[in-house]
Amino acid sequence: MQVDATVQKAFEMACNAQKNAHAPYSNFKVGAAVKIKNSDKIYPGSNVENASYGATVCAERVAIWSSVAIEGKPEFESIVIVTDTDPAIGPCALCLQVFAEFCEPDFEIYLANPKGIQQKVLFKDLLPAPFSYIPDTPDSLK
Ligand code: THU
């Protein structure tokens, strides 16, 4: 599909990140690139697996956590996710819940494979009711 130049740039960064994925256990390489709102900044991520399988982290979360380390509390505009599947597939539920921490319902999720971007979906359509909780401040911290 046709996308604007910034999303195209994010697609290229996600393709590069996919090549760097560390996926010796699943052989399923994923690349992602998240774009910050009102900014040209884009942060890539790839899935990083571990011999202790549960320690594996998805490409989307690597991208998001990296952006948090640099930006503080970023607001996201869009993410491009690249896998080798056709049709291209979307993010797992854990990653959707992590998106919820930083994005609005209209956050754009582009599903792609190395041939190109196949589909755009909105965050609110994949996770209409994210978990959200702001605890009261404990007395000891008041
Ligand atoms: N994976 C991602 O990177 N993103 C997703 O949204 C789903 C799955 C990774 C995790 C694991 O390394 C491999 O794909 C197979 O599940």
Side-chain angles (χ1 to χ4, degrees), residues 5-42:
T6 326
V7 175
Q8 182 62 27
K9 173 75 183 159
F11 169 67
E12 286 159 20
M13 289 175 73
C15 287
N16 284 332
Q18 189 200 17
K19 291 180 187 136
N20 290 329
H22 177 68
Y25 306 103
S26 71
N27 279 318
F28 190 77
K29 292 188 163 200
V30 186
V34 68
K35 184 194 170 293
I36 307 296
K37 212 177 242 183
N38 302 319
S39 161
D40 289 336
K41 290 189 186 161
I42 300 168

mmCIF file of all heavy atoms in Angstrom, residues 5-42:
data_model
loop_
_atom_site.group_PDB
_atom_site.id
_atom_site.type_symbol
_atom_site.label_atom_id
_atom_site.label_comp_id
_atom_site.label_asym_id
_atom_site.label_seq_id
_atom_site.Cartn_x
_atom_site.Cartn_y
_atom_site.Cartn_z
ATOM 1 N N ALA A 5 6.201 9.410 3.440
ATOM 2 C CA ALA A 5 7.648 9.182 3.453
ATOM 3 C C ALA A 5 8.151 8.730 4.826
ATOM 4 O O ALA A 5 9.083 7.910 4.910
ATOM 5 C CB ALA A 5 8.365 10.461 3.027
ATOM 6 N N THR A 6 7.534 9.231 5.893
ATOM 7 C CA THR A 6 8.009 8.853 7.234
ATOM 8 C C THR A 6 7.682 7.392 7.530
ATOM 9 O O THR A 6 8.498 6.675 8.118
ATOM 10 C CB THR A 6 7.345 9.729 8.316
ATOM 11 O OG1 THR A 6 7.144 11.030 7.787
ATOM 12 C CG2 THR A 6 8.181 9.796 9.544
ATOM 13 N N VAL A 7 6.492 6.969 7.137
ATOM 14 C CA VAL A 7 6.131 5.564 7.364
ATOM 15 C C VAL A 7 7.015 4.661 6.495
ATOM 16 O O VAL A 7 7.456 3.590 6.927
ATOM 17 C CB VAL A 7 4.628 5.330 7.090
ATOM 18 C CG1 VAL A 7 4.265 3.851 7.209
ATOM 19 C CG2 VAL A 7 3.779 6.155 8.054
ATOM 20 N N GLN A 8 7.312 5.120 5.292
ATOM 21 C CA GLN A 8 8.215 4.361 4.410
ATOM 22 C C GLN A 8 9.594 4.217 5.059
ATOM 23 O O GLN A 8 10.206 3.141 5.033
ATOM 24 C CB GLN A 8 8.316 5.058 3.049
ATOM 25 C CG GLN A 8 9.184 4.341 2.029
ATOM 26 C CD GLN A 8 8.679 2.944 1.648
ATOM 27 O OE1 GLN A 8 7.488 2.664 1.728
ATOM 28 N NE2 GLN A 8 9.599 2.066 1.268
ATOM 29 N N LYS A 9 10.063 5.311 5.672
ATOM 30 C CA LYS A 9 11.365 5.281 6.367
ATOM 31 C C LYS A 9 11.306 4.283 7.533
ATOM 32 O O LYS A 9 12.241 3.494 7.754
ATOM 33 C CB LYS A 9 11.681 6.697 6.874
ATOM 34 C CG LYS A 9 12.892 6.819 7.752
ATOM 35 C CD LYS A 9 14.173 6.731 6.962
ATOM 36 C CE LYS A 9 15.387 6.775 7.881
ATOM 37 N NZ LYS A 9 16.576 6.212 7.271
ATOM 38 N N ALA A 10 10.203 4.312 8.271
ATOM 39 C CA ALA A 10 10.042 3.372 9.390
ATOM 40 C C ALA A 10 10.027 1.928 8.869
ATOM 41 O O ALA A 10 10.598 1.024 9.492
ATOM 42 C CB ALA A 10 8.757 3.679 10.160
ATOM 43 N N PHE A 11 9.393 1.718 7.719
ATOM 44 C CA PHE A 11 9.374 0.377 7.110
ATOM 45 C C PHE A 11 10.806 -0.087 6.814
ATOM 46 O O PHE A 11 11.182 -1.230 7.123
ATOM 47 C CB PHE A 11 8.525 0.398 5.831
ATOM 48 C CG PHE A 11 8.658 -0.836 4.994
ATOM 49 C CD1 PHE A 11 8.190 -2.062 5.446
ATOM 50 C CD2 PHE A 11 9.258 -0.786 3.736
ATOM 51 C CE1 PHE A 11 8.326 -3.215 4.676
ATOM 52 C CE2 PHE A 11 9.401 -1.927 2.967
ATOM 53 C CZ PHE A 11 8.930 -3.142 3.441
ATOM 54 N N GLU A 12 11.604 0.805 6.236
ATOM 55 C CA GLU A 12 12.993 0.420 5.904
ATOM 56 C C GLU A 12 13.787 0.103 7.174
ATOM 57 O O GLU A 12 14.566 -0.860 7.217
ATOM 58 C CB GLU A 12 13.658 1.552 5.103
ATOM 59 C CG GLU A 12 13.132 1.596 3.667
ATOM 60 C CD GLU A 12 13.342 2.942 2.972
ATOM 61 O OE1 GLU A 12 14.199 3.726 3.424
ATOM 62 O OE2 GLU A 12 12.628 3.191 1.982
ATOM 63 N N MET A 13 13.570 0.897 8.220
ATOM 64 C CA MET A 13 14.285 0.639 9.485
ATOM 65 C C MET A 13 13.818 -0.685 10.103
ATOM 66 O O MET A 13 14.626 -1.431 10.676
ATOM 67 C CB MET A 13 14.074 1.807 10.450
ATOM 68 C CG MET A 13 14.818 3.059 9.991
ATOM 69 S SD MET A 13 14.483 4.502 11.008
ATOM 70 C CE MET A 13 15.396 4.096 12.489
ATOM 71 N N ALA A 14 12.539 -0.971 9.983
ATOM 72 C CA ALA A 14 12.016 -2.241 10.521
ATOM 73 C C ALA A 14 12.581 -3.434 9.747
ATOM 74 O O ALA A 14 12.902 -4.478 10.337
ATOM 75 C CB ALA A 14 10.491 -2.237 10.483
ATOM 76 N N CYS A 15 12.737 -3.276 8.423
ATOM 77 C CA CYS A 15 13.337 -4.359 7.611
ATOM 78 C C CYS A 15 14.781 -4.608 8.038
ATOM 79 O O CYS A 15 15.211 -5.769 8.161
ATOM 80 C CB CYS A 15 13.288 -4.010 6.124
ATOM 81 S SG CYS A 15 11.651 -4.119 5.401
ATOM 82 N N ASN A 16 15.530 -3.535 8.278
ATOM 83 C CA ASN A 16 16.909 -3.703 8.741
ATOM 84 C C ASN A 16 16.948 -4.378 10.112
ATOM 85 O O ASN A 16 17.765 -5.259 10.364
ATOM 86 C CB ASN A 16 17.624 -2.353 8.812
ATOM 87 C CG ASN A 16 18.005 -1.860 7.437
ATOM 88 O OD1 ASN A 16 18.223 -2.660 6.524
ATOM 89 N ND2 ASN A 16 18.068 -0.560 7.264
ATOM 90 N N ALA A 17 16.050 -3.951 10.991
ATOM 91 C CA ALA A 17 16.004 -4.541 12.334
ATOM 92 C C ALA A 17 15.647 -6.028 12.250
ATOM 93 O O ALA A 17 16.197 -6.849 12.995
ATOM 94 C CB ALA A 17 14.982 -3.791 13.195
ATOM 95 N N GLN A 18 14.757 -6.364 11.325
ATOM 96 C CA GLN A 18 14.372 -7.779 11.186
ATOM 97 C C GLN A 18 15.600 -8.634 10.855
ATOM 98 O O GLN A 18 15.751 -9.753 11.349
ATOM 99 C CB GLN A 18 13.298 -7.938 10.099
ATOM 100 C CG GLN A 18 12.724 -9.342 10.078
ATOM 101 C CD GLN A 18 12.035 -9.721 8.780
ATOM 102 O OE1 GLN A 18 12.230 -9.078 7.748
ATOM 103 N NE2 GLN A 18 11.250 -10.771 8.812
ATOM 104 N N LYS A 19 16.482 -8.069 10.026
ATOM 105 C CA LYS A 19 17.698 -8.830 9.667
ATOM 106 C C LYS A 19 18.565 -9.085 10.895
ATOM 107 O O LYS A 19 19.314 -10.058 10.945
ATOM 108 C CB LYS A 19 18.491 -8.065 8.607
ATOM 109 C CG LYS A 19 17.766 -8.042 7.265
ATOM 110 C CD LYS A 19 18.559 -7.285 6.210
ATOM 111 C CE LYS A 19 17.709 -7.133 4.946
ATOM 112 N NZ LYS A 19 17.764 -5.809 4.367
ATOM 113 N N ASN A 20 18.491 -8.192 11.885
ATOM 114 C CA ASN A 20 19.308 -8.341 13.094
ATOM 115 C C ASN A 20 18.615 -9.140 14.195
ATOM 116 O O ASN A 20 19.167 -9.273 15.296
ATOM 117 C CB ASN A 20 19.680 -6.957 13.646
ATOM 118 C CG ASN A 20 20.662 -6.247 12.745
ATOM 119 O OD1 ASN A 20 21.481 -6.891 12.089
ATOM 120 N ND2 ASN A 20 20.596 -4.930 12.708
ATOM 121 N N ALA A 21 17.411 -9.634 13.924
ATOM 122 C CA ALA A 21 16.685 -10.383 14.961
ATOM 123 C C ALA A 21 17.536 -11.559 15.447
ATOM 124 O O ALA A 21 18.247 -12.203 14.662
ATOM 125 C CB ALA A 21 15.356 -10.895 14.399
ATOM 126 N N HIS A 22 17.438 -11.825 16.746
ATOM 127 C CA HIS A 22 18.130 -12.983 17.317
ATOM 128 C C HIS A 22 17.043 -14.022 17.595
ATOM 129 O O HIS A 22 16.362 -13.954 18.630
ATOM 130 C CB HIS A 22 18.846 -12.554 18.610
ATOM 131 C CG HIS A 22 19.519 -13.692 19.311
ATOM 132 N ND1 HIS A 22 20.611 -14.348 18.801
ATOM 133 C CD2 HIS A 22 19.237 -14.319 20.489
ATOM 134 C CE1 HIS A 22 20.986 -15.304 19.623
ATOM 135 N NE2 HIS A 22 20.160 -15.314 20.653
ATOM 136 N N ALA A 23 16.835 -14.907 16.630
ATOM 137 C CA ALA A 23 15.711 -15.852 16.728
ATOM 138 C C ALA A 23 16.145 -17.273 16.397
ATOM 139 O O ALA A 23 15.557 -17.940 15.533
ATOM 140 C CB ALA A 23 14.570 -15.395 15.820
ATOM 141 N N PRO A 24 17.199 -17.795 17.093
ATOM 142 C CA PRO A 24 17.695 -19.134 16.756
ATOM 143 C C PRO A 24 16.762 -20.250 17.201
ATOM 144 O O PRO A 24 16.919 -21.395 16.756
ATOM 145 C CB PRO A 24 19.026 -19.203 17.520
ATOM 146 C CG PRO A 24 18.858 -18.271 18.670
ATOM 147 C CD PRO A 24 17.978 -17.165 18.167
ATOM 148 N N TYR A 25 15.797 -19.959 18.071
ATOM 149 C CA TYR A 25 14.914 -21.015 18.605
ATOM 150 C C TYR A 25 13.647 -21.146 17.774
ATOM 151 O O TYR A 25 13.204 -22.246 17.458
ATOM 152 C CB TYR A 25 14.613 -20.750 20.089
ATOM 153 C CG TYR A 25 15.908 -20.601 20.859
ATOM 154 C CD1 TYR A 25 16.378 -19.340 21.237
ATOM 155 C CD2 TYR A 25 16.704 -21.714 21.113
ATOM 156 C CE1 TYR A 25 17.601 -19.194 21.888
ATOM 157 C CE2 TYR A 25 17.931 -21.577 21.758
ATOM 158 C CZ TYR A 25 18.379 -20.324 22.137
ATOM 159 O OH TYR A 25 19.598 -20.189 22.751
ATOM 160 N N SER A 26 13.062 -20.014 17.400
ATOM 161 C CA SER A 26 11.821 -20.076 16.599
ATOM 162 C C SER A 26 12.094 -19.943 15.105
ATOM 163 O O SER A 26 11.253 -20.301 14.283
ATOM 164 C CB SER A 26 10.874 -18.948 17.013
ATOM 165 O OG SER A 26 11.379 -17.690 16.576
ATOM 166 N N ASN A 27 13.235 -19.381 14.762
ATOM 167 C CA ASN A 27 13.514 -19.027 13.359
ATOM 168 C C ASN A 27 12.465 -18.079 12.788
ATOM 169 O O ASN A 27 12.241 -18.060 11.574
ATOM 170 C CB ASN A 27 13.620 -20.277 12.478
ATOM 171 C CG ASN A 27 14.979 -20.911 12.603
ATOM 172 O OD1 ASN A 27 15.988 -20.204 12.624
ATOM 173 N ND2 ASN A 27 15.007 -22.229 12.702
ATOM 174 N N PHE A 28 11.797 -17.337 13.646
ATOM 175 C CA PHE A 28 10.771 -16.383 13.207
ATOM 176 C C PHE A 28 11.287 -14.982 13.506
ATOM 177 O O PHE A 28 11.263 -14.520 14.653
ATOM 178 C CB PHE A 28 9.456 -16.659 13.948
ATOM 179 C CG PHE A 28 8.283 -15.885 13.404
ATOM 180 C CD1 PHE A 28 7.656 -16.278 12.228
ATOM 181 C CD2 PHE A 28 7.810 -14.753 14.068
ATOM 182 C CE1 PHE A 28 6.574 -15.559 11.722
ATOM 183 C CE2 PHE A 28 6.726 -14.032 13.572
ATOM 184 C CZ PHE A 28 6.112 -14.440 12.401
ATOM 185 N N LYS A 29 11.784 -14.324 12.462
ATOM 186 C CA LYS A 29 12.408 -13.015 12.660
ATOM 187 C C LYS A 29 11.379 -11.901 12.515
ATOM 188 O O LYS A 29 10.594 -11.899 11.562
ATOM 189 C CB LYS A 29 13.542 -12.812 11.654
ATOM 190 C CG LYS A 29 14.718 -13.734 11.898
ATOM 191 C CD LYS A 29 15.896 -13.366 10.999
ATOM 192 C CE LYS A 29 17.167 -14.005 11.532
ATOM 193 N NZ LYS A 29 18.371 -13.343 11.035
ATOM 194 N N VAL A 30 11.417 -10.961 13.451
ATOM 195 C CA VAL A 30 10.484 -9.832 13.443
ATOM 196 C C VAL A 30 11.291 -8.541 13.570
ATOM 197 O O VAL A 30 12.257 -8.463 14.334
ATOM 198 C CB VAL A 30 9.484 -9.922 14.623
ATOM 199 C CG1 VAL A 30 8.428 -8.819 14.524
ATOM 200 C CG2 VAL A 30 8.816 -11.298 14.674
ATOM 201 N N GLY A 31 10.887 -7.547 12.792
ATOM 202 C CA GLY A 31 11.450 -6.194 12.921
ATOM 203 C C GLY A 31 10.319 -5.221 13.173
ATOM 204 O O GLY A 31 9.186 -5.438 12.730
ATOM 205 N N ALA A 32 10.625 -4.153 13.895
ATOM 206 C CA ALA A 32 9.603 -3.132 14.165
ATOM 207 C C ALA A 32 10.279 -1.773 14.175
ATOM 208 O O ALA A 32 11.493 -1.671 14.376
ATOM 209 C CB ALA A 32 8.924 -3.399 15.507
ATOM 210 N N ALA A 33 9.496 -0.734 13.932
ATOM 211 C CA ALA A 33 10.012 0.633 14.065
ATOM 212 C C ALA A 33 8.847 1.519 14.476
ATOM 213 O O ALA A 33 7.795 1.530 13.816
ATOM 214 C CB ALA A 33 10.633 1.120 12.759
ATOM 215 N N VAL A 34 9.046 2.227 15.585
ATOM 216 C CA VAL A 34 7.992 3.068 16.133
ATOM 217 C C VAL A 34 8.322 4.541 15.884
ATOM 218 O O VAL A 34 9.462 4.958 16.051
ATOM 219 C CB VAL A 34 7.793 2.746 17.637
ATOM 220 C CG1 VAL A 34 8.965 3.165 18.490
ATOM 221 C CG2 VAL A 34 6.532 3.355 18.171
ATOM 222 N N LYS A 35 7.307 5.292 15.453
ATOM 223 C CA LYS A 35 7.507 6.727 15.165
ATOM 224 C C LYS A 35 6.889 7.560 16.281
ATOM 225 O O LYS A 35 5.756 7.325 16.695
ATOM 226 C CB LYS A 35 6.867 7.091 13.822
ATOM 227 C CG LYS A 35 7.145 8.531 13.465
ATOM 228 C CD LYS A 35 6.296 9.073 12.336
ATOM 229 C CE LYS A 35 6.469 10.581 12.193
ATOM 230 N NZ LYS A 35 5.950 11.366 13.314
ATOM 231 N N ILE A 36 7.671 8.548 16.726
ATOM 232 C CA ILE A 36 7.220 9.447 17.785
ATOM 233 C C ILE A 36 6.301 10.520 17.192
ATOM 234 O O ILE A 36 6.550 11.024 16.093
ATOM 235 C CB ILE A 36 8.447 10.119 18.464
ATOM 236 C CG1 ILE A 36 9.462 9.070 18.939
ATOM 237 C CG2 ILE A 36 8.020 11.042 19.602
ATOM 238 C CD1 ILE A 36 8.985 8.141 19.988
ATOM 239 N N LYS A 37 5.262 10.885 17.961
ATOM 240 C CA LYS A 37 4.300 11.899 17.504
ATOM 241 C C LYS A 37 4.963 13.269 17.408
ATOM 242 O O LYS A 37 5.812 13.613 18.251
ATOM 243 C CB LYS A 37 3.162 11.969 18.536
ATOM 244 C CG LYS A 37 1.821 12.321 17.958
ATOM 245 C CD LYS A 37 0.748 12.300 19.033
ATOM 246 C CE LYS A 37 -0.294 11.266 18.718
ATOM 247 N NZ LYS A 37 -1.385 11.248 19.687
ATOM 248 N N ASN A 38 4.601 14.043 16.409
ATOM 249 C CA ASN A 38 5.115 15.409 16.192
ATOM 250 C C ASN A 38 6.643 15.460 16.159
ATOM 251 O O ASN A 38 7.252 16.389 16.707
ATOM 252 C CB ASN A 38 4.604 16.365 17.280
ATOM 253 C CG ASN A 38 3.101 16.395 17.326
ATOM 254 O OD1 ASN A 38 2.448 16.408 16.280
ATOM 255 N ND2 ASN A 38 2.537 16.384 18.523
ATOM 256 N N SER A 39 7.250 14.471 15.571
ATOM 257 C CA SER A 39 8.709 14.374 15.520
ATOM 258 C C SER A 39 9.076 13.452 14.366
ATOM 259 O O SER A 39 8.260 12.625 13.947
ATOM 260 C CB SER A 39 9.223 13.787 16.844
ATOM 261 O OG SER A 39 10.526 13.280 16.695
ATOM 262 N N ASP A 40 10.307 13.608 13.862
ATOM 263 C CA ASP A 40 10.761 12.690 12.812
ATOM 264 C C ASP A 40 11.432 11.441 13.398
ATOM 265 O O ASP A 40 11.897 10.587 12.654
ATOM 266 C CB ASP A 40 11.778 13.395 11.899
ATOM 267 C CG ASP A 40 11.101 14.445 11.042
ATOM 268 O OD1 ASP A 40 9.872 14.315 10.821
ATOM 269 O OD2 ASP A 40 11.790 15.395 10.611
ATOM 270 N N LYS A 41 11.512 11.392 14.712
ATOM 271 C CA LYS A 41 12.291 10.307 15.319
ATOM 272 C C LYS A 41 11.586 8.956 15.205
ATOM 273 O O LYS A 41 10.383 8.835 15.442
ATOM 274 C CB LYS A 41 12.562 10.620 16.783
ATOM 275 C CG LYS A 41 13.542 11.767 16.962
ATOM 276 C CD LYS A 41 13.933 11.891 18.399
ATOM 277 C CE LYS A 41 14.786 13.119 18.615
ATOM 278 N NZ LYS A 41 14.815 13.516 20.017
ATOM 279 N N ILE A 42 12.399 7.958 14.870
ATOM 280 C CA ILE A 42 11.912 6.585 14.701
ATOM 281 C C ILE A 42 12.883 5.663 15.439
ATOM 282 O O ILE A 42 14.105 5.814 15.302
ATOM 283 C CB ILE A 42 11.878 6.196 13.204
ATOM 284 C CG1 ILE A 42 10.945 7.126 12.422
ATOM 285 C CG2 ILE A 42 11.454 4.741 13.021
ATOM 286 C CD1 ILE A 42 11.073 7.001 10.912
#
